Amino acid sequence: MKQSMLEVLFEEQVRTARLPKPERNHRFLADRKYELDFAWIGPKIALEIEGAVWSGGAHGRGSGIVRDIEKGNLAAQEGWVLFRATGDMVNDGTAIAMLVRALADLPVRSCEECGQVFDVRDKRMRFCTARCRQKKWLAEHPQGGSK
């Protein structure tokens, strides 16, 4: 899927803020085509960037607004906290500031191998699964640890 300039900018802001890497275009319901632009799976926090709200784009027309409301309500029913931002909010830093505050005190971490956000029960955890831990170890020890 093609990314908008706003999405590219927001991804850069996420990296600069050192936030865990979000999943892009996350389908949060198996039976619907709705996707969340940026989703932090573990804490169920998401951001939707509403582009072209002033230029007659999909988010500014009646049918688009109804669709966005339905998607937001379904996400809430599934336990998601959904933040919505305009292009101006991405450009001026308001959107990233909202997410920094939302993710600041949560016991989550980004996996060092795949970037997936996971709940941290043990502060020493660095990987979301044993598979990621093994993959990272094998990359660091190409000979399988033999001398």
Side-chain angles (χ1 to χ4, degrees), residues 17-62:
R18 301 182 59 114
L19 291 178
K21 183 179 178 181
E23 183 175 321
R24 295 284 292 117
N25 303 312
H26 174 66
R27 286 181 97 172
F28 64 97
L29 290 172
D31 62 336
R32 302 298 285 269
K33 291 186 179 183
Y34 288 136
E35 296 178 346
L36 299 169
D37 291 342
F38 294 89
W40 286 266
I41 307 298
K44 283 193 158 184
I45 292 176
L47 174 75
E48 283 287 300
I49 297 175
E50 312 290 351
V53 294
W54 300 109
S55 64
H59 298 291
R61 292 192 294 264

Side-chain angles (χ1 to χ4, degrees), residues 39-45 79-80 103 106-108 116-119:
W40 286 266
I41 307 298
K44 283 193 158 184
I45 292 176
W80 286 88
L103 294 167
L106 294 175
V108 296
Q116 176 68 46
V117 176
F118 64 98
D119 293 323

Side-chain angles (χ1 to χ4, degrees), residues 1-2 8 10 14 29 64 68 70 103 112 115 117 131:
M1 173 174 252
K2 186 179 176 193
V8 171
F10 186 75
V14 167
L29 290 172
D68 288 345
E70 181 181 18
L103 294 167
E112 290 183 16
V117 176
R131 184 177 188 175

